[in-house]
Amino acid sequence: MNSAFTEWMAAKQARTEAALGRFLPARDSLPQRLHEAMRYATLGGGKRVRPLLVFAAGELSEAPPERLEVVASAVELIHVYSLVHDDLPAMDDDVLRRGRPTCHIEFDEATALLVGDSLQTLAFELLAGQALGERQIEMIALLAHASGSRGMAGGQAIDLASVGKALTQAELELMHALKTGALIRAAVLLGALAGQSLREQEQRQLDRFAKRAGLLFQVVDDILDCTASTATLGKTAGKDEAADKPTYITLLGLAGARDYAENLRHEALIALSGFGERARRLTELADFICHRPF
């Protein structure tokens, strides 16, 4: 990564962290334990890839930074809610997230359920309650669709039903287009919607990029789950293999998955080629997602 991109990324991560800190309820406000758990789950960890995509896509449409931090925070709140619920014993049953005990381990299962519920509703409260431009209703609908049964939640349902099964590549890609890709796609499109309207062809190009980037993220995640340590990942390594879940490693092998990741990165970059310098940060983020060391 070049130093300019590293500095840009650090600045946007810090801005997102500060915004989340403002938007989340104060730790000492009632109900105190729930608010403490919400802040515990959300603050002080994570790469903030989805907020970074929001800010990068916002550069294409010249979106005001104050709008983008609202959108970035809403997307990240949905992401964190999904992590809190996915880690529960009824789902993936994990004890480590972002290098710390998962929310239900640090607090309890009932609190973790309420944390997820509260983060989800706070995300939509932000999108509905802040001034985000003339396409605000469209933005709310987009995030809702990406989060529900035809998006992230639906992908998780397919994932749970696929344990111990051998999926085709098309079936695996559908599952991850919903579970992981839907929210990543939403982050990109929401960032662009926060600014000036793009031409129809530009919208199609951006959507193509967003879909390729979402799939790329999952393929690399599968690779890292197989090759990186728990300490490096900040979550339990090898969990998918231990749970007998279908992954791109089981389907394509490690070398095949790495080749597929590079192909997806290439396709994502081609989709951005018409934007020129305006897509510089999105291009750099595609490289970061593909080659991230953790």
Side-chain angles (χ1 to χ4, degrees), residues 1-2 5-6 8-10 12-13 47-59 184 187-188 209 212-214 216-217 220 265 268-269 272 279-292:
M1 293 187 293
N2 64 65
F5 173 65
T6 302
W8 175 87
M9 186 167 63
K12 301 310 180 189
Q13 289 168 330
K47 297 177 289 296
R48 310 296 190 202
V49 169
R50 291 152 193 83
L52 291 171
L53 288 167
V54 170
F55 280 106
E59 293 188 4
I184 287 178
V188 174
F209 165 80
R212 296 291 90 186
L216 171 62
F217 188 94
V220 174
R265 183 186 72 88
L269 297 183
L272 294 176
R280 175 162 54 103
R281 298 307 184 196
L282 285 175
T283 297
E284 291 169 332
L285 279 171
D287 290 337
F288 172 74
I289 289 170
C290 187
H291 301 133
R292 67 191 194 273

Side-chain angles (χ1 to χ4, degrees), residues 154-171:
Q156 176 70 353
I158 296 172
D159 188 27
L160 292 170
S162 300
V163 173
K165 297 180 180 179
L167 300 185
T168 66
Q169 186 164 343
E171 290 170 331

Side-chain angles (χ1 to χ4, degrees), residues 79-93 103-104 109 111-118 120 156:
H79 175 55
V80 176
Y81 126 69
S82 75
L83 299 181
V84 171
H85 279 190
D86 286 358
D87 288 336
L88 286 166
M91 295 280 198
D92 292 343
D93 192 15
C103 190
H104 70 277
E109 288 184 37
T111 298
L113 282 170
L114 293 173
V115 164
D117 294 344
S118 300
Q120 182 187 46
Q156 176 70 353

Side-chain angles (χ1 to χ4, degrees), residues 174-189:
L174 172 62
M175 178 176 78
H176 289 306
L178 300 178
K179 181 180 178 180
T180 304
L183 192 58
I184 287 178
R185 174 177 178 263
V188 174
L189 300 184

